[in-house]
Amino acid sequence: MASEKSKIIVDNKEIDLPLIRGTMGLPAIDIRTLNQKGMYTFDPGYLSTASCSSAITYVDGENGELLYRGYPIEQLSEKCDFLDVSYLLFNGELPTDIEKQNYRKSINGHTLIHDQLNSVYRGFRRDSHPMAVMIGVVASMSAFYTDKMDMNNPDHRKLSAMRLLAKLPTIGSWSYTYSLGLPSVYPQNDLGYAGNFLNMMFSSPNKKYQNNPILTRALEKILILHADHEQNASTSTVRLVGSSGANPYACIASGIASLWGPAHGGANEATLKMLAEIGNEDRIGEYIKRAKDKDDDFRLMGFGHRIYRNKDPRAEIMKITCHEVLNELNLSNEPLFRLALTLEKIALEDKYFIEKKLYPNVDFYSGIVMRALGIPNSMFTAVFAIARTAGWVSHWNEMLSDKENKIGRPRQVYTGLAKRNIKPF
Ligand code: SDX
């Protein structure tokens, strides 16, 4: 990274700090030595703080651009499948035909999970949220895949990444069939990544799931769109947990936990719930009003983003995919989709949303598409987690490959009581 000089003045003292620039994006003041000068910076929520350098994904919030290893998301979602994209994120380049064949073979070799992991499911109530079950089962992998755990060994890291990428669709779909009291369906490696997941979700011993290529392609696109997004909350969680050298399965389980929140990956499920609660177009005004009311903690789910200030490119692609899927299923008058289109139109014309630069994000339409594919609301964030595992393992690997990597340990501004003594009793 190129380095220039910057200067800050504190208590009339000038402090020189390097100014670093990446290949794209805003410059950053390198404050690593600031504590030696007797002060910290304060930035809860990391609004203006780069926690690391990374070459994986670039998000341009002003222009609504998303690049995975330099490739625009629009091209990747059109021309690639999810395995290509997961390979690109981890290795830095799209696979050649030979590399893809070998990669697919490795992934296919890991799609089954240890038979005893089945008993972890049994510990959960049937009505447990699939995300709770996935956190438990993925974390339990730490107790079953204990070989090749040297985090400084790139081959060991690659093996753990493969295992996670290959097993998450199995673990996620089994969380769903378990909730229905149905037998788990084993992976069929010849169906491709998205097709295999849909088959494990919806086929059963007495009923074969009929793969529809348009629906399978739609799910491939959903997985690609959700695969990575630089230092979002769940990826930052994985990096922080991984910085202590923790077991990769524990790291990814922590990412799933963070993604579950309704402000993050849980927003797709919350958006569907909100649309169902609004019910019809006459009630949209009431909810827009609530979203603007400071005394009401209601937020328009699927709207707003920390970085995108005019459009989330993924939401645009998702909206088109939504049309394609609903047309294929003769559902283009699907009431929730019509309601979402009207809600988006009204919100985008409202002064409050314009001033605060609030636009539909990736979660606004994804739930409608997934519901049309037959995926229940409770599984939307589970699908997000399966996709984001590609980004999580890539960032985890990039961090551990960085010789300058240190354990993450933020400081604080202490606002508690000054030192005091316990009064004699
Ligand atoms: C994802 O980080 C990533 O990259 C995430 C993600 C990824 O791929 O990993 O893109 C995936 O998480 C997408 C976001 C999904 N979440 C939602 O749709 C939930 C609803 N959105 C909000 O909760 C919110 O917009 C966030 C959490 C997404 C962003 O929050 P910020 O950046 O912390 O913004 P903020 O809360 O400071 O809001 C700024 C202002 C506030 O008003 P003021 O206090 O300035 O008066 O905008 C308002 C907020 O009240 N606001 C909203 C709103 N989002 C922000 N008001 C109504 N409805 C909303 N949705």
Side-chain angles (χ1 to χ4, degrees):
M1 290 181 285
S3 174
E4 297 153 56
K5 281 238 167 297
S6 72
K7 194 186 290 292
I8 59 171
I9 300 170
V10 180
D11 300 338
N12 293 324
K13 256 192 337 188
E14 287 194 356
I15 298 173
D16 290 326
L17 291 168
L19 181 76
I20 49 181
R21 290 180 198 278
T23 38
M24 297 169 81
L26 303 180
I29 300 173
D30 183 342
I31 57 164
R32 280 174 285 187
T33 59
L34 207 50
N35 67 332
Q36 295 154 23
K37 295 175 173 101
M39 72 189 74
Y40 304 142
T41 58
F42 181 66
D43 186 12
Y46 306 112
L47 285 143
S48 307
T49 296
S51 60
C52 64
S53 61
S54 176
I56 298 174
T57 291
Y58 177 67
V59 179
D60 179 337
E62 287 313 316
N63 300 309
E65 274 194 341
L66 169 56
L67 310 177
Y68 291 167
R69 299 286 188 179
Y71 291 116
I73 192 69
E74 294 79 1
Q75 294 179 30
L76 291 167
S77 61
E78 248 341 282
K79 302 179 187 328
C80 299
D81 66 19
F82 179 69
L83 275 189
D84 296 319
V85 168
S86 61
Y87 184 96
L88 169 70
L89 290 168
F90 194 88
N91 298 293
E93 292 297 343
L94 284 167
T96 60
D97 288 347
I98 294 290
E99 286 165 339
K100 175 114 182 231
Q101 272 170 31
N102 295 334
Y103 181 59
R104 184 189 297 285
K105 206 156 139 261
S106 314
I107 292 282
N108 286 347
H110 292 289
T111 49
L112 285 169
I113 60 175
H114 191 293
D115 202 42
Q116 263 185 270
L117 269 173
N118 248 316
S119 48
V120 178
Y121 286 89
R122 303 268 169 276
F124 287 92
R125 288 165 48 112
R126 292 283 176 178
D127 60 358
S128 304
H129 195 289
M131 289 296 275
V133 180
M134 285 177 78
I135 293 165
V137 176
V138 172
S140 303
M141 287 174 73
S142 319
F144 287 86
Y145 301 98
T146 53
D147 60 322
K148 301 198 170 90
M149 276 291 139
D150 171 5
M151 295 305 109
N152 296 315
N153 182 329
D155 293 334
H156 290 196
R157 292 199 300 269
K158 185 164 259 187
L159 173 61
S160 298
M162 287 284 181
R163 279 174 168 155
L164 283 155
L165 273 167
K167 296 177 195 309
L168 257 289
T170 308
I171 291 169
S173 59
W174 288 16
S175 308
Y176 172 58
T177 47
Y178 174 72
S179 72
L180 300 177
L182 288 174
S184 315
V185 176
Y186 284 90
Q188 300 294 325
N189 291 335
D190 57 330
L191 294 176
Y193 201 86
N196 177 38
F197 173 73
L198 290 170
N199 187 59
M200 290 190 286
M201 281 284 287
F202 301 123
S203 70
S204 58
N206 60 354
K207 179 180 62 65
K208 195 163 170 21
Y209 172 69
Q210 293 306 325
N211 254 332
N212 172 326
I214 292 181
L215 305 188
T216 304
R217 179 66 202 150
L219 183 59
E220 285 280 352
K221 277 192 181 177
I222 289 174
L223 295 171
I224 290 168
L225 294 176
H226 288 81
D228 193 47
H229 213 243
E230 55 155 85
Q231 306 311 320
N232 56 84
S234 53
T235 301
S236 301
T237 302
V238 170
R239 277 182 174 259
L240 190 57
V241 173
S243 71
S244 71
N247 177 296
Y249 309 110
C251 294
I252 300 306
S254 70
I256 299 173
S258 170
L259 186 74
W260 193 6
H264 189 15
N268 47 28
E269 182 179 353
T271 301
L272 251 288
K273 271 197 192 118
M274 173 191 73
L275 289 171
E277 193 187 310
I278 294 174
N280 62 63
E281 299 182 359
D282 312 343
R283 298 188 64 203
I284 287 179
E286 173 197 333
Y287 282 82
I288 295 275
K289 193 157 163 277
R290 283 190 57 195
K292 300 184 325 191
D293 178 356
K294 282 291 142 239
D295 299 327
D296 187 337
D297 59 12
F298 171 77
R299 288 198 164 180
L300 213 52
M301 299 317 282
F303 260 76
H305 199 276
R306 170 65 57 79
I307 302 176
Y308 290 122
R309 309 317 283 176
N310 64 26
K311 65 170 176 136
D312 180 339
R314 302 167 299 176
E316 314 232 319
I317 300 167
M318 194 62 78
K319 191 169 160 183
I320 297 164
T321 308
C322 207
H323 269 297
E324 288 162 359
V325 167
L326 295 176
N327 285 340
E328 170 66 17
L329 296 171
N330 298 318
L331 291 172
S332 36
N333 286 322
E334 209 277 350
L336 284 186
F337 181 56
R338 313 261 31 111
L339 184 63
L341 289 172
T342 314
L343 173 59
E344 176 189 11
K345 186 170 174 309
I346 295 173
L348 293 183
E349 288 163 359
D350 184 286
K351 210 157 75 35
Y352 173 90
F353 288 85
I354 296 168
E355 272 166 18
K356 292 193 184 295
K357 298 177 179 283
L358 301 174
Y359 297 86
N361 58 49
V362 68
D363 292 301
F364 189 64
Y365 286 104
S366 57
I368 300 171
V369 187
M370 286 195 267
R371 206 172 87 111
L373 296 179
I375 297 170
N377 289 21
S378 63
M379 280 294 292
F380 292 172
T381 313
V383 171
F384 196 152
I386 291 166
R388 188 53 56 92
T389 296
W392 290 333
V393 295
S394 302
H395 282 274
W396 168 76
N397 180 57
E398 180 183 64
M399 174 189 66
L400 292 175
S401 323
D402 177 355
K403 294 285 161 268
E404 289 190 11
N405 169 47
K406 287 182 176 314
I407 186 168
R409 206 279 184 216
R411 308 309 296 267
Q412 63 170 18
V413 171
Y414 175 68
T415 55
L417 291 167
K419 189 171 156 188
R420 56 180 174 155
N421 297 314
I422 295 175
K423 290 194 184 58
F425 294 109

